[in-house]
Amino acid sequence: GQNIDQPTEMTATEGAIVQINCTYQTSGFNGLFWYQQHAGEAPTFLSYNVLDGLEEKGRFSSFLSRSKGYSYLLLKELQMKDSASYLCAVRVLRSNDYKLSFGAGTTVTVRA
Amino acid sequence: GAVVSQHPSRVICKSGTSVKIECRSLDFQATTMFWYRQFPKQSLMLMATSNEGSKATYEQGVEKDKFLINHASLTLSTLTVTSAHPEDSSFYICSAEVLGTEAFFGQGTRLTVV
């Protein structure tokens, strides 16, 4: 199976920056995704990394180091609406198909 | 991004009955659809992978006779929870993707079995 670890909770102030780390141990790695999920809703796509390095998309950036099995999601200029759960997911190639394995999620609370 | 529509969003059923959940990709043809289950404050757990026209691949521990998956076309997959029991109450989410791209998630279905 895949071991995907991320912190359970983080709290930050509006306007600040928060970095959510994710470590994974897997074989057949085929990309790492970050999703945002508000309570009771389905996840929405934030970012995708398959090669090492930083991907920037507006206020959100994601970094990947495949050799270290490590990724982070950086949220800048935090807004109240960014309060949500952030899911790290690893896509793994299997013999006949592939699957996404999710971490337990990091609940980010943004305070005024 | 692409739109995946999941229906119903909420359903309450009596113990012992069956419930069907639909997942449709509205503006693209999905090579693969996935079904997940999520319990409160837990992550998404993959239940099965579904390819159009072939049998679904179930994850270990998921009863294929209880969770029937039909993938009749490139835009529709259904999950039927048969003989539902209270422990089946959960948030069920589908996703659809074209090979090699991101997964697009449906809105989710909150199932409550009473």
Side-chain angles (χ1 to χ4, degrees):
Chain A
Q2 290 74 44
N3 296 320
I4 302 171
D5 293 314
Q6 51 182 128
T8 305
E9 295 180 327
M10 300 183 76
T11 302
T13 306
E14 195 174 14
I17 298 172
V18 70
Q19 177 174 315
I20 307 170
N21 296 323
C22 173
T23 59
Y24 63 90
Q25 292 177 309
T26 187
S27 57
F29 176 83
N30 191 248
L32 188 141
F33 296 78
W34 284 95
Y35 286 88
Q36 180 192 62
Q37 185 180 28
H38 286 98
E41 299 179 10
T44 55
F45 171 79
L46 291 179
S47 70
Y48 169 61
N49 295 72
V50 66
L51 299 176
D52 291 351
L54 186 69
E55 293 283 339
E56 296 187 85
K57 199 187 249 189
R59 294 190 299 116
F60 296 169
S61 303
S62 58
F63 172 83
L64 174 67
S65 169
R66 289 171 295 170
S67 62
K68 296 181 179 178
Y70 168 70
S71 173
Y72 68 73
L73 178 69
L74 196 68
L75 314 180
K76 294 180 264 189
E77 301 170 19
L78 279 173
Q79 302 175 8
M80 299 299 286
K81 66 178 182 179
D82 297 329
S83 293
S85 180
Y86 291 84
L87 307 175
C88 172
V90 174
R91 183 161 65 194
V92 176
L93 287 176
R94 302 191 290 191
S95 54
N96 296 322
D97 59 14
Y98 54 97
K99 65 179 281 187
L100 271 182
S101 291
F102 284 82
T106 299
T107 300
V108 172
T109 302
V110 181
R111 295 183 172 163
Chain B
V3 178
V4 175
S5 175
Q6 186 174 340
H7 178 81
S9 58
R10 291 178 181 273
V11 59
I12 301 173
C13 70
K14 290 185 178 180
S15 188
T17 61
S18 296
V19 174
K20 181 186 282 189
I21 304 169
E22 289 189 351
C23 180
R24 292 181 184 272
S25 57
L26 296 185
D27 51 2
F28 69 103
Q29 292 185 326
T31 51
T32 307
M33 289 186 172
F34 301 85
W35 288 96
Y36 297 85
R37 182 167 51 183
Q38 186 177 33
F39 291 105
K41 297 189 183 298
Q42 294 186 23
S43 192
L44 283 74
M45 297 300 298
L46 181 65
M47 299 175 68
T49 303
S50 171
N51 291 296
E52 184 262 341
S54 62
K55 290 184 179 180
T57 302
Y58 289 82
E59 295 300 302
Q60 194 172 6
V62 178
E63 299 173 57
K64 62 181 180 181
D65 294 330
K66 180 171 183 61
F67 298 100
L68 300 179
I69 292 173
N70 183 283
H71 196 155
S73 74
L74 285 171
T75 59
L76 173 64
S77 177
T78 61
L79 167 68
T80 301
V81 183
T82 62
S83 188
H85 291 283
E87 57 265 31
D88 298 324
S89 298
S90 187
F91 192 51
Y92 292 86
I93 309 175
C94 72
S95 75
E97 62 180 81
V98 177
L99 184 63
T101 68
E102 66 190 82
F104 298 96
F105 286 85
Q107 304 94 317
T109 297
R110 174 75 58 194
L111 171 64
T112 304
V113 185
V114 298

